[in-house]
Amino acid sequence: MKAKTMNRMRRPLRIAGAMALALGVAGVLPAHAEEDGRRVIDKKCASCHLENGKLTRIPEIRKTPEGWDMTVVRMGVWHKVELTPDERRAVVKYLADRQGLAPSESAPFRFLTERRPNMQDAPPDEELAQMCGRCHSYGRVALQRRDENEWRKLMHTHLGQFPSAEYSALGRDRNWWEIARDKLPAKLAGLYPKNTDAWRDWSRAKHRPAAGRWVVAGERPGWGRYTGTMTAKAKGKDRYEVSYELRFGAGNTVRGQGDAVIYTGYEWRGSAQIGNEDTRSIFALSEDGSRIGGRWFLKGADEIGASFEAVRADKATKNALVSVNPQMLRAGETVELTLAGAGLDAKIDLGPGVEVVEWLDKSAEELKVRVKVASDAPQGVRKLSVGGRESERTLAVYRQIDSVRVEPAFGVARVGGGTNPPMTAQFDAVAFLDGADGKPGTDDDIRLGSVPATWSTEPFNERAKHDEDLKFAGHMEPHGQFLPSFAGPNPARRGLNNVGNLAVVATVADGGRSLNAKGQLVVTVQRWNPTPLR
């Protein structure tokens, strides 16, 4: 039963697969996408968008690659605009490059483009949360730019295409249409204007290609931290052939090959076969092109993935640290420590109370040392330096773990079946020190990092116990991944679906002590429209 669940979990969704057609399969992007994109727009879009010899509407909007892809798909659904896969990719590339978002504009909502699970976006006020965020994420609004007139036209589009919007919850208790028509356009134009200095500067700048060797690091919940390398080889303008070598631990090296496309000068969208897994990657290059950050995840199961950070490994890079492993050192112990990065000098400072007692390996991309942590070493998180350069990477020293938290504290999984597989939920156990107030679970707690845990589930409340949610909703794997049951009325459950409300329990061993933490997991119904920007 478990094997069948996992196989179905990884089967790509039809809609998600369709979206990947434009953004995830870089290898088939037309070689002359720039010219082709404009040609397709002139041929298939201008019939509706051309006035007095000039394009209308299209040039007045800026969006992410996903935003433009959703627009192109919507034109096909609403207005029967027929594009081949190559034409669709070319149009998205053309528009994202010329009418995208600057890095600083997309940064606050990158968790949405990177499809990070169990994240909640934060609208700037309650009015925008209720007017916009009750039907889709608010980030979908914030990841586009328009002037006041275009925002107003968007309000008209909403009412025309979704006339029930003003009669749904949080619409009937106010003059919804008057607010949308008369108040929100100016408000949104002030928050997300079409013309900004950030976009003007970015669109004029010369962007550094992604080709070359990169030292990478990240963490995959349930698997742990990894380091490795990525090599990107140019295949044409903004197109790359990519190879990966990721090391999750001794004897656990995973290799892969894939492709990537860069949109807007920094928006990396890639696909790769890493080990035996079909993956998608959504990264962002730093403004100077020296670093990459983001997330990769499984195709058809984007809730399962890993953080990703990379630093360019070329002669110009000096003492750029990307990973320290382990991140936690217990006072009084002697352990092996590995630092990964580019252009590393064999000169490190790990802060007071941590002494290098033996060098195990030295190279420009990896330093391995044996360190001794003094029994009286100061507790807490400290920055370290390599070659005299202070790094943003941190190292934690502790005597004992004060508390553990389950992350996410509130998770969502979805039952599935048929063409719509279950959506799993991955949990992690994270260790903390008490902060200055000496109390666990407060804002000043000091995060140490992820720790191994034994996982279990139990009913979240009396109702869940009465309904036997634990029996029907699914099961927890040893590495913290919850696999939900299949959808549909269950005759053994008095006709109920296999939904549930569970507590996720992590038990962590710390020396001779045992610490427990709980999170909440809601197992709910299927999602039938998994758009790239939800």
Side-chain angles (χ1 to χ4, degrees):
M1 185 67 174
K2 292 183 182 180
K4 291 182 179 178
T5 302
M6 290 300 293
N7 288 339
R8 294 195 182 193
M9 178 199 76
R10 294 181 180 180
R11 185 182 300 161
L13 306 182
R14 289 181 179 178
I15 296 177
M19 293 303 176
L21 187 67
L23 300 177
V25 188
V28 292
L29 185 75
H32 303 288
E34 185 172 317
E35 297 84 353
D36 292 344
R38 180 64 203 215
R39 177 184 57 79
V40 174
I41 290 172
D42 288 342
K43 180 180 178 182
K44 297 192 175 182
C45 305
S47 58
C48 292
H49 287 282
L50 195 66
E51 290 184 11
N52 300 319
K54 293 184 178 180
L55 282 175
T56 62
R57 301 299 306 278
I58 299 173
E60 302 307 317
I61 303 170
R62 295 193 285 116
K63 294 184 177 184
T64 62
E66 286 78 11
W68 280 120
D69 194 48
M70 293 172 72
T71 297
V72 171
V73 170
R74 192 160 52 246
M75 293 301 100
V77 173
W78 289 357
H79 303 297
K80 310 304 179 185
V81 178
E82 295 184 1
L83 300 180
T84 68
D86 279 354
E87 288 175 333
R88 177 176 161 188
R89 296 184 187 96
V91 169
V92 171
K93 181 73 169 77
Y94 180 88
L95 293 172
D97 285 351
R98 284 160 180 75
Q99 296 162 225
L101 270 62
S104 60
E105 294 175 321
S106 66
F109 289 90
R110 290 211 67 82
F111 67 85
L112 188 61
T113 56
E114 293 171 4
R115 307 186 196 181
R116 295 182 181 268
N118 301 299
M119 297 291 291
Q120 183 176 359
D121 55 4
D125 59 43
E126 189 63 24
E127 181 177 59
L128 288 172
Q130 294 176 352
M131 292 293 293
C132 305
R134 62 190 171 95
C135 294
H136 52 69
S137 67
Y138 182 77
R140 191 157 152 180
V141 177
L143 287 173
Q144 55 184 298
R145 299 295 185 269
R146 303 166 183 259
D147 61 20
E148 182 177 345
N149 189 45
E150 274 299 327
W151 281 114
R152 183 171 290 106
K153 289 179 180 178
L154 183 62
M155 305 304 163
H156 281 271
T157 299
H158 273 64
L159 191 63
Q161 293 293 335
F162 312 107
S164 64
E166 62 177 326
Y167 301 113
S168 59
L170 300 178
R172 290 170 291 176
D173 61 344
R174 68 201 70 200
N175 295 323
W176 186 90
W177 173 237
E178 286 78 4
I179 297 172
R181 179 192 63 199
D182 301 332
K183 184 177 181 180
L184 290 193
K187 187 173 185 176
L188 291 170
L191 289 168
Y192 313 113
K194 177 179 181 289
N195 299 314
T196 64
D197 290 340
W199 174 247
R200 189 177 302 109
D201 293 343
W202 180 255
S203 60
R204 292 173 178 173
K206 185 176 181 180
H207 306 132
R208 190 176 180 184
R213 179 181 172 86
W214 300 79
V215 178
V216 308
E219 184 169 3
R220 179 171 176 175
W223 284 42
R225 298 181 59 79
Y226 68 88
T227 58
T229 58
M230 177 184 78
T231 303
K233 181 180 179 181
K235 294 179 61 179
K237 187 178 186 300
D238 293 336
R239 298 186 303 142
Y240 299 91
E241 182 179 275
V242 188
S243 61
Y244 298 90
E245 183 174 292
L246 309 180
R247 299 182 295 277
F248 283 88
N252 188 12
T253 297
V254 182
R255 295 176 177 83
Q257 298 285 334
D259 300 277
V261 175
I262 304 294
Y263 298 85
T264 330
Y266 73 101
E267 291 280 15
W268 171 297
R269 302 294 185 268
S271 60
Q273 187 76 21
I274 300 180
N276 62 354
E277 295 180 319
D278 196 358
T279 69
R280 298 290 180 261
S281 54
I282 298 181
F283 307 150
L285 274 75
S286 62
E287 295 197 27
D288 65 358
S290 65
R291 287 182 175 266
I292 298 176
R295 182 172 179 267
W296 57 268
F297 47 85
L298 303 189
K299 177 187 175 183
D302 57 30
E303 73 275 11
I304 303 300
S307 61
F308 181 92
E309 185 176 355
V311 61
R312 193 184 289 271
D314 60 17
K315 294 180 179 179
T317 304
K318 294 294 293 180
N319 296 311
L321 197 61
V322 73
S323 173
V324 181
N325 192 40
Q327 290 181 297
M328 300 166 52
L329 302 179
R330 189 190 293 270
E333 292 189 345
T334 299
V335 298
E336 290 186 11
L337 191 69
T338 301
L339 291 77
L344 302 180
D345 291 337
K347 178 185 177 183
I348 60 177
D349 183 355
L350 305 175
V354 181
E355 176 189 4
V356 175
V357 295
E358 183 182 2
W359 280 92
L360 304 175
D361 194 17
K362 302 177 184 179
S363 73
E365 295 182 0
E366 189 173 80
L367 303 175
K368 288 187 177 183
V369 293
R370 182 171 284 110
V371 299
K372 182 178 181 180
V373 187
S375 58
D376 60 350
Q379 283 199 122
V381 175
R382 79 266 305 275
K383 291 184 178 180
L384 45 84
S385 67
V386 179
R389 178 183 177 182
E390 186 177 78
S391 171
E392 292 299 316
R393 304 278 75 75
T394 60
L395 187 65
V397 173
Y398 71 104
R399 292 180 180 80
Q400 69 174 23
I401 297 171
D402 289 331
S403 65
V404 174
R405 297 183 193 176
V406 170
E407 293 186 355
F410 181 89
V412 175
R414 296 179 182 273
V415 296
T419 60
N420 198 350
M423 187 186 88
T424 68
Q426 177 68 56
F427 292 89
D428 222 2
V430 181
F432 284 82
L433 293 178
D434 295 342
D437 64 5
K439 299 177 181 179
T442 58
D443 291 341
D444 70 345
D445 287 1
I446 300 170
R447 182 188 177 94
L448 295 176
S450 302
V451 290
T454 300
W455 294 95
S456 61
T457 53
E458 59 188 40
F460 184 77
N461 53 26
E462 286 301 317
R463 177 59 185 270
K465 183 177 181 179
H466 174 270
D467 290 343
E468 297 184 287
D469 289 356
L470 187 63
K471 178 179 178 181
F472 294 104
H475 69 274
M476 181 70 78
E477 292 284 279
H479 59 284
Q481 184 181 14
F482 183 85
L483 303 183
S485 295
F486 292 99
N490 187 343
R493 205 181 184 196
R494 299 179 296 279
L496 294 176
N497 206 325
N498 290 319
V499 297
N501 188 7
L502 303 177
V504 175
V505 184
T507 302
V508 174
D510 181 39
R513 302 159 61 237
S514 180
L515 294 87
N516 293 320
K518 291 185 179 182
Q520 185 179 4
L521 169 65
V522 170
V523 183
T524 187
V525 297
Q526 294 163 291
R527 177 188 284 124
W528 292 100
N529 189 23
T531 56
L533 298 178
R534 292 169 180 162

